[in-house]
Amino acid sequence: MLTLKKLAVLMLVVAFSLTALFGATLTVGAKNFTEQYVLGNLASLLLEENGFNVVERFGLSSLVARQALTTGQIDLYPDYTGTAWVTYLEQEELITDPDELLEKVRELDAKNGIVWLDRINANNTYALAIRQEDYEKYGFETLSDLVAYWNEHPNEFVVGVDYEFYERPDGFFAFADHYGLDIPDSQVSTMQDGLTYEAIANNKIDIAMVFATDPKILRYNLHVLEDDRNFWPYYHISFAVRKDVLDEYPEIEEILRPLTLYLNQDILIRLNYRVDVEGVEPEVVARDYLEGLGLLD
């Protein structure tokens, strides 16, 4: 039986625990494209629903988001296993199993104080796409088909890529080296993220850098070429969290687990579609989805 003194101590402990949780503030980051805004909002809403105060830092480039995480400016954000493996951890080994890739990323990044949660079943890999009418004209099925023709007709195509893809080590020129494509800089047009779709639809470019989960592929009726020589690694989504933050608030992993359980590539494409094609705000899309799962009151 509890004495009054023990009861008072217990109540103090409970009150302190509740204050620690409900007074805790987490900074959630996200990169600067639609899918990231959706994922960032999903995480923010779930964390807020479970008592955390959330500060959002969205609209970051990959390297800025990574630096913000490692320097403690953000506490967690959604990222991609392939990006971590190639860009942050500077690994060259091609890993063809997504679970093995995640485990190796976890192992190496643990040295940096970063924990990768379980992956979401969506692979937002890079890809190159052409207009449907050009697919019917040339019959390209694979990137090897495209490169073979392109090397013989070097001035026929202009490719559009965003600035980050132009510069990153797993970006366009690394792809060109891998496939043996000889292309001058003048045939590569750089533009803001997301504008490659409009550019190819308006015949300003002939080949567009795209993302596999982007609904604009459907909207603009593009044909995605198969990466038959396996240049790009898997880009499965996982939330990267600072270890010190997760040690202090281990409940974060369980709070975000529904995203691992319920999100998949088809659902993510539909969520992205609502933003990019239907014009719904990412926060509204995220809230509607979570309410539909019964995860928000």
Side-chain angles (χ1 to χ4, degrees):
M1 183 175 180
L2 289 175
T3 66
L4 288 178
K5 183 177 180 180
K6 288 182 178 179
L7 181 60
V9 171
L10 178 61
M11 291 176 66
L12 183 63
V13 170
V14 171
F16 178 79
S17 299
L18 290 173
T19 301
L21 175 58
F22 286 89
T25 297
L26 295 175
T27 301
V28 176
K31 300 186 190 183
N32 54 359
F33 52 92
T34 296
E35 180 170 286
Q36 284 278 310
Y37 286 112
V38 171
L39 290 166
N41 274 287
L42 287 169
S44 293
L45 289 167
L46 285 173
L47 291 167
E48 287 175 343
E49 180 71 11
N50 286 275
F52 286 97
N53 300 312
V54 174
V55 175
E56 296 177 346
R57 286 196 61 196
F58 296 172
L60 308 174
S61 69
S62 289
L63 293 179
V64 170
R66 170 68 175 191
Q67 185 178 33
L69 184 70
T70 57
T71 58
Q73 297 175 65
I74 62 176
D75 299 310
L76 67 148
Y77 78 110
D79 211 333
Y80 303 88
T81 52
T83 301
W85 184 247
V86 174
T87 304
Y88 310 148
L89 302 172
E90 300 180 337
Q91 300 299 303
E92 297 182 355
E93 178 188 359
L94 176 64
I95 299 175
T96 57
D97 180 88
D99 293 320
E100 180 185 356
L101 178 58
L102 175 59
E103 288 308 313
K104 290 199 171 185
V105 166
R106 281 173 165 166
E107 180 181 351
L108 289 181
D109 226 6
K111 302 172 185 176
N112 300 314
I114 306 299
V115 177
W116 289 74
L117 304 185
D118 288 343
R119 66 179 177 87
I120 294 169
N121 189 25
N123 180 25
N124 191 11
T125 188
Y126 285 104
L128 295 180
I130 58 177
R131 288 180 288 270
Q132 183 65 28
E133 54 265 36
D134 285 341
Y135 167 63
E136 294 170 1
K137 176 181 178 180
Y138 297 106
F140 301 146
E141 294 287 355
T142 67
L143 290 173
S144 291
D145 295 338
L146 170 67
V147 167
Y149 183 90
W150 204 347
N151 279 333
E152 294 179 359
H153 306 82
N155 298 317
E156 189 161 336
F157 300 135
V158 174
V159 60
V161 303
D162 67 27
Y163 295 111
E164 182 174 314
F165 188 66
Y166 182 84
E167 297 175 347
R168 57 187 289 158
D170 57 345
F172 181 77
F173 288 103
F175 146 77
D177 288 342
H178 184 80
Y179 272 88
L181 174 63
D182 184 15
I183 180 174
D185 289 358
S186 60
Q187 300 302 113
V188 183
S189 178
T190 54
M191 56 196 68
Q192 292 291 337
D193 179 68
L195 295 184
T196 57
Y197 299 93
E198 287 76 11
I200 195 171
N202 294 323
N203 295 310
K204 293 181 179 179
I205 60 174
D206 307 291
I207 300 159
M209 182 215 82
V210 300
F211 296 103
T213 58
D214 199 321
K216 289 184 179 180
I217 293 171
L218 302 177
R219 179 181 182 183
Y220 292 112
N221 195 25
L222 302 180
H223 178 78
V224 178
L225 299 170
E226 178 190 350
D227 179 15
D228 56 304
R229 294 184 59 186
N230 300 310
F231 170 67
W232 285 297
Y234 287 100
Y235 289 86
H236 280 96
I237 303 160
S238 172
F239 277 85
V241 189
R242 295 202 342 261
K243 184 178 185 300
D244 60 322
V245 172
L246 196 60
D247 286 345
E248 186 172 2
Y249 305 111
E251 61 269 30
I252 290 173
E253 186 167 10
E254 286 304 313
I255 291 171
L256 298 183
R257 191 174 300 279
L259 302 182
T260 301
L261 296 176
Y262 302 121
L263 269 183
N264 59 40
Q265 187 132 340
D266 289 339
I267 291 173
L268 197 53
I269 290 173
R270 290 200 294 272
L271 297 181
N272 293 338
Y273 186 92
R274 289 197 66 198
V275 177
D276 282 342
V277 180
E278 297 178 356
V280 183
E281 288 296 319
E283 192 273 339
V284 175
V285 170
R287 183 176 295 278
D288 288 348
Y289 177 68
L290 294 175
E291 287 179 349
L293 291 175
L295 297 173
L296 299 183
D297 290 334

